[in-house]
């Protein structure tokens, strides 16, 4: 049943079950089991073998699967960092410092949004680093973890996908370069093509604009409004009855004399060590001192592991320095802190493992190839291809949980179609694929970046998915109009201007409809 309409059933089952039952592991597991059965036409023995293989390859695939293992280890290290900056009193001290300088909820939200834009090296790194920095501030100002997760997720991938100096940019420039080379297109370089595509990425433009509008105005939709109301009225920034990745499992004595440096130094070490490791691993693999080559060849999981190890070591060292000065700091809580930090990340790790297993099954079923073939076989007018590619890429990324997988499948197909049919529409078509892939990835509950965004924010995963979805759908609707106009007119600036005008009109009327209230300040 590989490469047929049946190949889309496992991801659809997983996604529908997630939204209905809100039990992520059960839903992902059901999708994995159904996929294994479909691959072998419901033969039990072969299906069990493939089921085992889907989990095995997460850790061992003809050798240690360093990509996945390093990401898992990094999450555990991040949990340890979180535990010790809390134990040492660093989180409390940082929140007390922040309230003196960032006195409003609006300021806290804007800071988070700006951090999401500034930290653009990698989406994984962005999601987890921004969450660690912003969480004490947003918690203090009673901003829900769901909204924090939305800010993180809607700035990380959108910025990375248009930034040439990022792991995404390097990957996409290399992919675009391959297409241009095989099609003998020499009017512009891959880097030039990538930069030219940025103003055509209408979903990114709409998503980032929406983030800052929400930060400025408290535009809360549906489920997000419930989370925000609970946070403001009760001070509960998350539902304590649900699994919250990154949340310590037990209360520890916190050093009341902790310093801001107890939080800042581990995070700065994490950031500096990770970026340094990315440059180092990129240079090792590329063999040349060239910024594009370095980021194209960098080893992100290894760099995260190095940075996480350095950050965890500093956080533990700062706690050890409190021995003798703080009677609550002792070796018993040292061990408990490490174990609690690891425990706090177990929900996120388990969800990731099951999501990777489903991704493996989807690959065997050739779900992405089937969806791509649908558009290839259809007799579609050229002018409609950008908007159709946007929707198809969104559907593919949503179903498979991977934007990079959608890039790899659809970019060569879109490139081949446009070069042969209408070369002037090549870049708009490729931009539509990038935008749609990010959109689908944002909405998918089985996406690793969605999982890591909720982890970084300390939000329940399904709460993050359901609260972010309405904002993403609005932005996707606006982007679809832009791609329709771009395909029919061929004018980048007309379609770009139209997207900006629609956003401006939308924000104007939304701002008028929002009840005007003074910015809430928590004393």
């Amino acid at each position: 049943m590989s490469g047929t309409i049946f190949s889309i059933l496992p991801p659809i089952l997983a996604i529908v079950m997630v939204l209905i039952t809100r039990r992520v592991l059960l839903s992902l597991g059901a999708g994995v089991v159904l996929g294994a059965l479909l691959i072998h036409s419901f033969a039990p023995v072969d299906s069990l073998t493939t089921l085992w293989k889907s989990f095995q390859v997460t850790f061992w695939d003809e050798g240690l699967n360093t990509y996945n293992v390093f990401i898992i280890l990094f999450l555990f290290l991040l949990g340890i960092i979180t535990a010790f900056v809390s134990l040492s009193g660093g989180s409390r001290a940082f929140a007390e410092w922040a309230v003196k300088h960032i006195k409003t909820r609006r300021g806290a939200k804007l800071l988070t949004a700006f951090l999401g834009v500034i930290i653009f090296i990698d989406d994984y790194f962005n999601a987890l680093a921004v969450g660690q920095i912003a969480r004490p501030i947003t918690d203090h100002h009673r901003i829900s973890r769901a909204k924090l997760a939305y800010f993180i997720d809607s700035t990380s991938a959108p910025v990375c996908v248009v930034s040439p100096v990022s792991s995404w940019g390097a990957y996409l420039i290399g992919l675009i370069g391959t297409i241009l080379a095989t099609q003998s297109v020499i009017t512009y370089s891959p880097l030039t093509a990538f930069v030219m595509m940025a103003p055509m990425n209408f979903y990114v433009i709409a998503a980032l604009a929406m983030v800052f509008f929400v930060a400025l105005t408290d535009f809360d939709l549906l489920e997000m409004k419930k989370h925000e109301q609970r946070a403001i009225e009760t001070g509960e920034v998350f539902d304590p009855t649900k699994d919250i990745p990154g949340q310590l499992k037990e209360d520890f004595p916190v050093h009341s004399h902790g310093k801001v440096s107890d939080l800042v130094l581990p995070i700065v070490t994490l950031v500096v060590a990770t970026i340094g490791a990315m440059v180092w691993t990129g240079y090792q693999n590329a063999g040349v001192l060239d910024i594009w080559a370095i980021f194209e060849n960098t080893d992100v999981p290894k760099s995260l592991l190095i940075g996480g190890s350095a950050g965890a070591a500093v956080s533990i060292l700062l706690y050890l320095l409190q021995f003798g000065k703080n009677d609550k700091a002792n070796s018993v809580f040292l061990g408990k802190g490490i174990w609690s930090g690891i425990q706090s990340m177990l929900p996120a790790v388990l969800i990731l493992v099951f999501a990777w297993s489903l991704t493996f099954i989807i690959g065997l079923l050739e779900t992405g190839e089937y969806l791509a073939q649908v558009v290839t076989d259809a007799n579609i007018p050229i002018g409609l291809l950008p908007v159709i590619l946007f929707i198809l890429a969104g559907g593919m990324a949503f179903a498979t949980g991977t934007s990079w997988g959608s890039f790899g499948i659809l970019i060569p197909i879109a490139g081949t179609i446009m070069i042969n049919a209408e070369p002037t529409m090549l870049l708009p078509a490729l931009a539509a694929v990038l935008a749609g892939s990010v959109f689908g990835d944002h909405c998918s509950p089985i996406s690793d970046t969605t999982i890591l965004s909720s982890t970084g924010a300390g939000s329940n995963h399904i709460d993050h998915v359901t609260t972010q979805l309405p904002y993403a759908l609005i932005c996707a609707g606006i982007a679809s109009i832009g791609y329709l106009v771009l395909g029919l007119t061929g004018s980048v600036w007309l379609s770009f201007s139209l997207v900006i005008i629609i956003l401006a009109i939308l924000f104007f009327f939304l701002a008028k409809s929002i009840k005007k209230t003074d910015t809430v300040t928590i004393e």
Side-chain angles (χ1 to χ4, degrees), residues 338-508:
I338 293 173
W339 176 236
S340 182
I342 292 172
Q343 280 186 305
S344 71
M345 288 298 174
L346 281 176
V349 168
L350 288 174
I351 293 173
L352 263 183
V353 169
F354 273 76
W356 283 331
S357 177
L358 182 58
T359 300
F360 175 80
I361 292 293
I362 288 170
L364 294 181
L365 283 169
E366 299 178 353
T367 304
E369 287 80 351
Y370 165 74
L371 292 172
Q373 196 63 41
V374 170
V375 73
T376 303
D377 293 342
N379 187 19
I380 301 170
I382 295 297
L384 297 180
L385 272 177
V387 67
I388 289 174
L389 285 170
F390 172 74
I391 296 170
L392 177 64
M396 184 183 295
F398 181 78
T400 60
T402 168
S403 52
W404 282 40
S406 302
F407 295 154
I409 293 170
L410 280 180
I411 284 180
I413 292 174
T416 301
I417 292 174
M418 286 306 185
I419 285 174
N420 289 304
E422 186 58 61
T424 60
M425 293 298 293
L426 172 63
L427 296 187
L430 296 183
V433 170
L434 300 187
S437 298
V438 172
F439 160 60
D441 192 66
H442 267 172
C443 298
S444 178
I446 63 175
S447 161
D448 51 1
T449 51
T450 305
I451 294 166
L452 291 175
S453 293
S454 57
T455 301
S459 166
N460 176 267
H461 178 57
I462 300 305
D463 285 347
H464 169 44
V465 173
T466 55
T467 52
Q468 177 169 258
L469 187 60
Y471 299 99
L473 289 173
I474 291 173
C475 295
I478 295 171
S480 296
I481 296 173
Y483 287 118
L484 180 61
V485 173
L486 178 58
L488 294 176
T489 66
S491 173
V492 175
W493 294 112
L494 176 61
S495 50
F496 176 85
S497 300
L498 179 61
V499 167
I500 298 300
I501 291 170
I502 293 174
L503 285 169
I505 293 173
L506 174 66
F507 293 161
F508 175 77

Side-chain angles (χ1 to χ4, degrees), residues 299-324:
D299 188 335
V300 173
K302 183 177 180 180
S303 302
L304 288 173
L305 180 60
I306 293 171
S309 299
V314 171
S315 67
I316 293 173
L317 176 61
L318 291 172
Y319 183 70
L320 291 174
L321 292 176
Q322 294 185 5
F323 281 24

Side-chain angles (χ1 to χ4, degrees), residues 94-95 98 102 105 107-113 130-131 133-145 147-149 151 228 231 235 237 457 522:
F94 184 74
I102 302 170
R105 299 182 81 244
K109 290 183 292 181
L110 285 172
L111 173 66
T112 305
V130 173
I133 298 169
R135 197 191 306 175
I137 304 171
T138 55
D139 280 0
H140 179 84
H141 285 286
R142 299 190 181 187
I143 297 166
S144 68
R145 296 280 181 84
K147 179 162 281 188
L148 174 58
F151 287 150
E228 285 292 278
V237 293
I522 308 300

Side-chain angles (χ1 to χ4, degrees), residues 77-323:
L77 289 166
L78 195 68
I80 292 171
I81 293 172
T82 302
F84 280 100
V85 297
S86 178
L87 274 172
S88 65
S91 295
R92 175 187 293 176
F94 184 74
E96 291 172 352
W97 172 87
V99 74
K100 295 177 182 178
H101 299 81
I102 302 170
K103 298 184 178 181
T104 63
R105 299 182 81 244
R106 179 180 294 175
K109 290 183 292 181
L110 285 172
L111 173 66
T112 305
F114 278 115
L115 285 173
V117 172
I118 293 168
I119 303 177
F120 55 80
I121 298 298
D122 179 73
D123 59 324
Y124 286 6
F125 179 54
N126 177 300
L128 298 169
V130 173
Q132 288 294 297
I133 298 169
R135 197 191 306 175
I137 304 171
T138 55
D139 280 0
H140 179 84
H141 285 286
R142 299 190 181 187
I143 297 166
S144 68
R145 296 280 181 84
K147 179 162 281 188
L148 174 58
Y150 163 65
F151 287 150
I152 292 172
D153 205 2
S154 291
T155 53
S156 58
V159 175
C160 287
V161 81
V162 294
S163 171
V165 186
S166 70
S167 56
W168 285 51
Y171 167 72
L172 291 170
I173 289 169
L175 192 58
I176 293 168
T178 302
I179 295 169
L180 299 183
T182 56
Q183 299 296 332
S184 301
V185 176
I186 56 174
T187 53
Y188 34 70
S189 68
L191 175 59
T192 301
F194 182 81
V195 173
M196 291 171 64
M197 286 160 56
M200 305 179 204
N201 201 317
F202 301 140
Y203 179 76
V204 166
I205 294 167
L208 291 176
M210 182 65 75
V211 163
F212 282 95
F213 178 77
V214 170
L216 285 167
T217 64
D218 281 329
F219 171 51
D220 299 323
L221 280 171
L222 305 174
E223 286 294 311
M224 187 71 85
K225 181 176 291 187
K226 297 177 183 177
H227 284 270
E228 285 292 278
Q229 286 177 341
R230 183 187 64 224
I232 293 172
E233 294 170 3
T234 70
E236 290 185 348
V237 293
F238 59 86
D239 187 340
T241 65
K242 298 179 180 178
D243 282 334
I244 309 294
Q247 193 66 26
L248 301 183
K249 298 301 181 184
E250 57 181 298
D251 293 327
F252 290 97
V254 176
H255 185 9
S256 59
H257 300 292
K259 297 175 290 187
V260 172
S261 59
D262 292 326
L263 179 139
V264 172
L265 285 178
I267 300 301
V268 169
T269 301
L270 170 68
V271 172
V272 173
T274 300
I275 295 176
M278 289 177 70
V279 174
W280 174 60
T281 57
Y283 173 71
Q284 276 192 323
N285 294 329
V288 294
L289 196 59
D290 178 85
I291 188 66
W292 310 116
I294 285 173
F295 276 95
E296 184 177 355
N297 291 279
T298 191
D299 188 335
V300 173
K302 183 177 180 180
S303 302
L304 288 173
L305 180 60
I306 293 171
S309 299
V314 171
S315 67
I316 293 173
L317 176 61
L318 291 172
Y319 183 70
L320 291 174
L321 292 176
Q322 294 185 5
F323 281 24

